[in-house]
């Protein structure tokens, strides 16, 4: 069995459905010339806010249950969590600024327009290309150099889509 090779964190795909059935999909692709440390920092930044908010609420409840005044518990949590958020934000600013993000949104209440379908198709194609290449690289079916070529091509296509959408 081939030894597994780990491709880098190339970015992420997120899909969500709203209360009224609107389907949103976002693809974020980190720059291929970024370092592993930069991408790791961007991932930490991406997850920090939702995790710190959820964890902060739980910690606040625990502190209040332990007899700490609610206002004091809130101040302590903000004093601990906010500086970390600021440092993460500043340290990851460069890579976040160079990350290409493309999105597609479809209404759940009506028929998709041809433009909506085309945008969703482009986004799905790019996400599948990177996902498939990452899986093949992990399984040893392709080398890191081939994965990097796919990553650079997807990044360039995503940049072109983002530029066209900005017009």
């Amino acid at each position: 069995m081939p030894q597994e090779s780990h491709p880098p964190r190339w970015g992420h795909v997120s899909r969500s459905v709203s209360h009224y059935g609107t389907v949103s999909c976002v693809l974020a692709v980190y720059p291929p010339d970024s370092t592993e440390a930069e991408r790791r920092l961007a991932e930490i930044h991406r997850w920090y806010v939702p995790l710190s908010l959820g964890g902060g609420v739980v910690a606040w409840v625990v502190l209040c249950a332990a007899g700490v005044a609610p206002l004091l518990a809130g101040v302590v949590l903000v004093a601990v969590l906010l500086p970390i958020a600021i440092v993460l934000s500043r340290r990851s600013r460069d890579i976040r600024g160079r990350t290409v993000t493309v999105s597609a949104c479809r209404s759940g209440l009506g028929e998709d327009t041809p433009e909506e379908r085309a945008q969703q198709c482009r986004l799905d194609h790019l996400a599948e290309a990177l996902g498939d290449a990452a899986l093949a690289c992990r399984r040893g079916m392709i080398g890191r150099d081939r994965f990097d070529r796919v990553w650079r091509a997807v990044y360039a296509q995503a940049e072109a889509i983002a530029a066209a959408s900005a017009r």
Side-chain angles (χ1 to χ4, degrees):
M1 173 170 244
Q3 187 176 20
E4 290 194 7
S5 172
H6 297 286
R9 293 171 178 84
W10 54 263
H12 58 273
V13 177
S14 63
R15 299 178 196 278
S16 62
V17 179
S18 78
H19 180 69
Y20 296 104
T22 300
V23 179
S24 299
C25 185
V26 176
L27 170 68
V29 184
Y30 297 138
D33 64 346
S34 59
T35 66
E36 180 64 26
E38 288 174 315
R39 293 187 300 271
R40 187 178 13 251
L41 195 58
E43 285 291 312
I44 292 168
H45 179 268
R46 179 170 88 98
W47 287 104
Y48 182 76
V49 171
L51 292 178
S52 67
L53 287 175
V57 168
V58 171
W60 181 80
V61 169
V62 168
L63 288 171
C64 290
V68 177
L71 181 60
L72 179 60
V75 169
V76 167
L77 288 171
V78 167
V80 169
L81 297 174
L82 189 58
I84 297 169
I86 291 169
V87 168
L88 280 174
S89 182
R90 285 185 178 164
R91 294 199 55 209
S92 65
R93 183 180 307 148
D94 178 54
I95 188 169
R96 289 183 298 114
R98 296 184 304 128
T99 298
V100 176
T101 304
V102 291
S103 62
C105 190
R106 299 183 353 244
S107 171
L109 299 176
E111 182 92 18
D112 293 342
T113 66
E115 185 177 308
E116 289 172 333
R117 279 193 298 276
Q119 181 74 352
Q120 185 65 52
C121 247
R122 284 189 295 268
L123 195 144
D124 288 342
H125 173 72
L126 294 175
E128 286 173 14
L130 270 171
D132 291 348
L135 182 61
C137 188
R138 269 194 299 280
R139 291 183 175 170
M141 297 165 64
I142 66 171
R144 175 61 193 268
D145 59 331
R146 174 100 185 267
F147 174 81
D148 287 345
R149 283 195 303 273
V150 171
W151 187 10
R152 282 190 300 274
V154 168
Y155 185 81
Q157 288 177 341
E159 271 186 319
I161 292 169
S165 296
R167 287 185 224 152

